Amino acid sequence: MLLGNIFLYFYLGNSEKISDAQRHVIYLVLGVFCAIGMCCFLLLAPSGTESEVEEEAEDELVVESQSILRPIIDAVKFCKTWQMGFLYGPIIFTGVSLNFWSSVFITVIGNVFPNRSYLALGGICTGIGEISAGFIWGRLTSKIGRHGVIMCSTVINCCLYYLAFISFPFDAATTTVSLIPRSPSPFQ
């Protein structure tokens, strides 16, 4: 996210409209970034020794021959347990949070500011926030515990939602608006 938005910031400059040629270059570069990221995952070392990996591969062959539907049925049964019921709230909150910061917030910035480099700046700030929050909360987990980290990050996230809500006009997510109020013209 961070590298792609840094590229967008320098590539778009002060343009107010994104042309079709720019759009093709953006998709090409971001696609290359995705391919590089996927190749980095392939370079990760497998966990365990080679003999453990071979044993797991043999076990998987036996399981595949039994039934393909069995894992799906087990997953549905697991979703009905009370332990899984406690996770529905955090899972929904995580989905709403990721949706807001990666799509709604950027759309609002694009509708409020005509300069397209602000889109990239919003993405850069979001990426820096994700990286720094992961680092800071990872360090604080050993000091205040997992429950404290979850509660503190939830409170901070809700405060940031409120700040975003009061910083932009109400209809900025659906229409193009301006933050500068226009004075009524005497010639209308």
Side-chain angles (χ1 to χ4, degrees):
M1 180 173 204
L2 189 60
L3 292 176
N5 282 302
I6 290 172
F7 163 74
L8 283 178
Y9 179 74
F10 289 113
Y11 183 69
L12 293 178
N14 291 328
S15 63
E16 291 190 11
K17 297 285 182 185
I18 299 175
S19 67
D20 284 340
Q22 285 178 319
R23 191 167 287 134
H24 291 295
V25 171
I26 290 169
Y27 282 130
L28 179 69
V29 171
L30 294 180
V32 168
F33 280 160
C34 289
I36 291 171
M38 289 172 29
C39 290
C40 288
F41 276 118
L42 292 175
L43 298 176
L44 293 175
S47 61
T49 62
E50 289 183 24
S51 61
E52 291 176 3
V53 172
E54 290 175 3
E55 290 174 10
E56 288 178 10
E58 292 173 2
D59 293 340
E60 287 178 7
L61 289 175
V62 173
V63 170
E64 284 181 17
S65 63
Q66 291 176 358
S67 173
I68 294 176
L69 293 176
R70 189 71 197 158
I72 297 171
I73 294 169
D74 290 342
V76 170
K77 286 180 182 177
F78 182 66
C79 287
K80 294 178 182 178
T81 62
W82 65 272
Q83 295 98 340
M84 193 63 192
F86 286 119
L87 289 176
Y88 290 145
I91 289 170
I92 291 170
F93 181 77
T94 302
V96 169
S97 178
L98 289 173
N99 182 33
F100 178 78
W101 293 114
S102 64
S103 61
V104 175
F105 186 67
I106 301 300
T107 303
V108 168
I109 290 174
N111 285 340
V112 170
F113 299 106
N115 191 341
R116 294 299 165 212
S117 64
Y118 286 116
L119 291 172
L121 283 175
I124 290 170
C125 291
T126 303
I128 289 172
E130 289 175 353
I131 293 168
S132 60
F135 179 76
I136 291 169
W137 293 125
R139 296 290 179 170
L140 285 177
T141 302
S142 61
K143 293 182 182 178
I144 62 175
R146 186 181 301 160
H147 299 300
V149 166
I150 291 172
M151 290 307 296
C152 288
S153 61
T154 302
V155 169
I156 290 171
N157 207 355
C158 289
C159 291
L160 291 174
Y161 287 142
Y162 179 72
L163 289 174
F165 180 72
I166 65 171
S167 296
F168 294 106
F170 184 72
D171 58 346
T174 56
T175 59
T176 303
V177 295
S178 176
L179 289 178
I180 303 169
R182 296 183 180 160
S183 60
S185 172
F187 301 107
Q188 289 182 353

